[in-house]
Amino acid sequence: MSPPAFDPFGELVPTAEPAVAPDRGPNWLKSAGIGLFWGLVGIIVLARAMYFEPGAFSFANAMAWAQGLFALL
């Protein structure tokens, strides 16, 4: 039990039970929103990288990377 609380005029403030926050939505909706947010962040970052470095994401570079990956396997 908490100690009694008093208002600025010395009156006893009645204690109330702490309110329980209502459930705001299903967990899958929260997870979908978080996934959508980070997916958009990734798309924006890739789009900016392609805009500022147009040659870095060419098909030839992608094929060379894939061939190097297959060579390692």
Side-chain angles (χ1 to χ4, degrees):
M1 181 163 172
S2 64
F6 296 93
D7 68 3
F9 299 107
E11 296 291 323
L12 184 63
V13 177
T15 58
E17 295 297 320
V20 176
D23 191 18
R24 298 198 183 253
N27 286 337
W28 68 268
L29 188 60
K30 180 180 175 182
S31 298
I34 291 171
L36 179 65
F37 172 78
W38 286 111
L40 288 173
V41 167
I43 290 170
I44 291 170
V45 168
L46 285 175
R48 288 181 57 91
M50 288 178 16
Y51 178 75
F52 288 113
E53 295 283 337
F57 293 100
S58 66
F59 182 72
N61 284 348
M63 288 304 296
W65 180 82
Q67 287 175 351
L69 181 64
F70 288 132
L72 285 175
L73 297 176

